[in-house]
Amino acid sequence: MSRNLKSRLALIAGLTVLALLLLVPTMRGQGVPLFASYQLDKLSLGLDLAGGMHLKYLVRTDKYIESRLAEIKSEVRLIYEHEKKTPPEFELDRKNLMLKLIYPDAESLRADDELLRDRFSGFDRDRDGNAIVLTPNSDFRRLLEREAVDQAEDTIRKRTNELGVKGSSIHYQRTQGVDTLVIQLPGVHDVGEAKKWLGKPAVLQFKLVPDNRHVAKDVETLKERFPDYERQGMEIYPHRGKPPEGEDQGPIIAYYMLQIAPDINGADLANANASLDQYGLPAVSFRFNDAAARKFANITGANIGKQLAIVLDDEIVSSPNIQSRIHGSGIISGSFSDQDVQQLAGVLRSGHLVVPLEVQEERTISASLGADSVHKGTLAMVIGMALVMIFMVIYYKGAGLLADLALVLNILFILAGLSLFGATLTFPGIAGMILTVGMAVDGNIIVFERIREELRIGKSARSSVQSGYDKATWTILDANITTVVAALMLFQFGTGPIKGFAVTLIIGVLSSMFTAIVVTRSVYDILIEKTRFERISI
């Protein structure tokens, strides 16, 4: 036996064993039904097969630009503090996304204009009386919008993973200047719970409470104490108590007047996990990264005896007194259930949303509809395979049996490939497998017809086989490579189910080329080397 043939047989045997190893452990459980006999639990079902939720979120990129304008306010204040000058008044036009720096007179504006002239690239500067108007230009605005969408998409993807949703699909759409994220969550049927955690901003901040004057039972009292609080960069935050049984939110028990800028925030978290507080109640433990841990230790060490407000999404969840220097970790306690702390910890690990999301569209798909689709798709594939195999035996006789062997191996390799890559199987994916069943024997048909042509002109069986494969190989490669390229384009630019179809088609085409060119030829080469092989059944 030649070295080349030995290498091919070793490759075929190795791939077959690997495929069986990938599939045998999965032929159990509650996964994807295979021929109504086995289960493939490594394959995740798509929304159309498992049922679940479809959500379409509007990404409020205008709020992200607002936040950038608010950051400029803080930067300007710091510049003026450094120069020991009185900052201008600020007016944020949320509708037109403009920030006005209002000066008492034209002379003050001229004196300070040079101070800020080269500070804020990406913003157009205009004069409006005694005010400088900062507006993001079109290029910078689009850059900010895309930045907000990318961050939201990345965070939502992390959250679906943290919340244990397999086979989720998230993709971006922009139509008529509106940015949206379309999210598909297979197997998720609790709409309210999914929206609660996926769309949660999860902005975690830690703010020092300077003294008791910054805490009151009502908002009016705080406004009286701090009439110029907005100019000083402060904001009022509510603190809720424990909710009554059956309620989601508790009553507001106090209001805090705190600086808008946090002393430290959730972006510095290294990890967060479900835990218990000192009273044995559900809580979230957290740990900062090294740099933030040092900063947190310095802040708490310098403010022993003061309150530290832990603010989540603009509401205070707890406000413990600092008893001692805290070295980089802590507990977030509040009115949480066991499920709440598990999900909140996952959401905090995934990072906060820098931009609000608004639900534009939502719908659910029943699991029964998906099960019916799986049954029909599997039945169609089995019938298709049976018809193809019968045709090949009738039309190509012994060679048809060889093609049927290649077809079985082809299906085995496709399922193993999907399992290996943890692919999500959708109904279009099943359609791709059915299409591959027909395409799988296409390469064999090309080879067999070439062999028949060689036999008709009087060549021997051995010579006809060798010549038939040599002539057919490039034709098979040419036809299938163009199909793979088209499938790659579908995968690159398609979404959801289209990607599932493309993945199945790519694996199927590559597998069918291998079985047609390598597997069946190896069988014929064995016959050529081990027998006289003077007749061929074709």
Side-chain angles (χ1 to χ4, degrees), residues 485-527:
V485 170
L488 286 172
M489 294 301 101
L490 285 176
F491 181 82
Q492 178 66 31
F493 300 107
T495 58
I498 301 300
K499 284 182 180 286
F501 173 80
V503 168
T504 308
L505 186 59
I506 291 169
I507 295 174
V509 168
L510 294 176
S511 174
S512 66
M513 282 196 294
F514 177 76
T515 54
I517 297 173
V518 179
V519 174
T520 57
R521 180 159 191 172
S522 297
V523 174
Y524 274 125
D525 285 348
I526 291 173
L527 294 174

Side-chain angles (χ1 to χ4, degrees), residues 340-371:
D340 284 342
V341 295
Q342 290 283 355
Q343 293 177 326
L344 178 57
V347 167
L348 290 176
R349 284 194 298 268
S350 66
H352 70 273
L353 286 168
V354 299
V355 59
L357 302 179
E358 292 182 4
V359 177
Q360 270 198 328
E361 177 186 325
E362 63 178 76
R363 64 175 184 266
T364 58
I365 298 174
S366 70
S368 60
L369 178 62

